[in-house]
């Protein structure tokens, strides 16, 4: 169990790191951020910031040695960096969780070994692989880079076999997978927190609505029946237990006739931001509790319905207006530069 005043290292300084740092601060812990960019959202609310690149071995070692435990806010940390941290400090979640989720092919194979449903997939290393996979998967299908894809980036929807060359060029001819198209009614995610002793708490599912590949709105609770909720929780628990996971985990799911796994996020997740006002113990607080060896808290929803909307680009300027409405809680991530489509904040509405 981590002692009061201990220091938690957070790799990555974006909004997720910021909300983790605020949660840690509420429990009396100090935080140190490791992030290459100055004045990042998390460093603005943390005790210290190591501003260095992820291949800077000396800085990574110093960071790990400064901290009592280390966690992360994004899964694309080079695995070498994670290993250096693990040699010098306790890293939660473990580097295995990172390694599996950094590469879509490895992740999909892992999902299969867990006996869970996912879209049919094929490994792509050449245009010839792609052409043959399109024949097997049928159209439409989706070409996705194995690494560094997020918010719909590094993806190409193939509508006809003639799209192959264009799609291959579009993703920079990088190692990829083809996924068969899943027919689903809506998307949801299961968010859970697993403690060091293996105890798991689940959050209510949200319905996730995307626009242009970016999460736009979450509606909680999602329209799932009891059997579907139990299935979603079973999927989340299976993955968390297999990984010996510690902390908050999100699994994105497609809901149709069956529940199909889309993606695993080994971290707190955008579709769980509503938990800050919508539950007594947010996904961020439970993550900090879990990695510090503290008891987990209540995850029940505290309003009949909750809506979370991301504030993109200059929508962030609407916060004074949003504050005029009752039960409306906007968050500003403190990013200096407003860019069209950039996640600048979010707003949660409790609907009574
Ligand atoms: P991803 O980055 O893999 O989460 O994909 C972004 C979005 O693309 C998802 O949230 C879905 O809306 C859509 N998508 C991804 N993969 C598939 C698939 N195999 N079948 C249908 N839609 C998909």
């Amino acid at each position: 169990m981590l002692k009061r005043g201990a220091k938690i290292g957070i790799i990555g300084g974006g909004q997720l790191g910021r909300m983790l740092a605020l949660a840690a601060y509420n429990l009396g812990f100090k935080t140190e951020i490791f992030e290459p960019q100055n004045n990042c959202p998390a460093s603005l609310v943390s005790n210290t910031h190591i501003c260095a690149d992820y291949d800077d071995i000396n800085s990574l070692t110093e960071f790990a040695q400064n901290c009592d435990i280390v966690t992360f806010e994004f899964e694309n940390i080079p695995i070498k960096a994670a290993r250096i941290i693990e040699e010098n400090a306790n890293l939660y979640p473990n580097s295995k969780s990172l390694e599996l989720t950094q590469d879509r092919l490895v992740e999909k194979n892992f999902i299969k070994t867990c006996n869970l449903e996912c879209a049919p997939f094929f490994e792509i290393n050449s245009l010839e692989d792609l052409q043959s996979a399109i024949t097997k998967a049928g159209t439409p299908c989706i070409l996705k880079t194995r690494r560094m894809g997020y918010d719909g980036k590094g993806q190409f929807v193939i509508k006809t076999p003639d799209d192959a060359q264009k799609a291959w060029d579009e993703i920079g001819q990088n190692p990829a997978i083809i996924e068969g198209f899943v027919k689903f009614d809506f998307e949801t995610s299961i968010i859970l927190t697993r403690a060091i002793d293996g105890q798991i708490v689940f959050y209510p599912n949200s319905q996730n609505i995307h626009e242009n590949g970016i999460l736009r709105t979450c509606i909680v609770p999602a329209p799932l029946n009891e059997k579907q909720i139990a299935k979603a929780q079973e999927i989340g628990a299976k993955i968390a237990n297999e990984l010996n996971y510690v902390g908050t985990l999100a699994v994105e799911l497609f809901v149709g006739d069956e529940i199909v796994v889309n993606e695993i996020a080994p971290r707190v997740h955008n579709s769980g931001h509503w938990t800050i006002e919508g539950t007594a113990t947010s996904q961020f607080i439970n993550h900090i509790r879990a990695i510090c060896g503290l008891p987990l808290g209540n995850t029940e929803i505290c309003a009949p319905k909750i809506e979370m909307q991301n504030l993109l680009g200059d929508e962030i300027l609407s916060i004074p207006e949003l504050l005029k409405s009752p039960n409306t809680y906007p968050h500003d991530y403190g990013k200096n530069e407003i860019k069209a489509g950039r996640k600048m904040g979010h707003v949660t509405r409790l609907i009574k």
Side-chain angles (χ1 to χ4, degrees), residues 212-239:
N212 304 320
I214 294 184
L215 182 67
R216 192 64 171 127
T217 308
C218 290
I219 300 166
V220 199
L224 297 170
N225 61 36
E226 272 179 30
K227 216 172 136 197
Q228 289 171 316
I229 293 171
K231 180 72 195 169
Q233 294 187 351
E234 188 191 314
I235 292 171
K238 174 85 186 158
I239 291 171

Side-chain angles (χ1 to χ4, degrees), residues 104 119 142 144 152 155 179-182 184 187 210 252 254 262-263:
R104 285 188 196 273
I142 309 183
K144 298 182 179 182
Q155 295 195 14
E179 272 185 29
F181 215 79
V182 178
F184 58 86
E187 294 181 58
H210 293 80
E252 296 177 12
F254 297 133
N262 174 28
E263 215 171 36

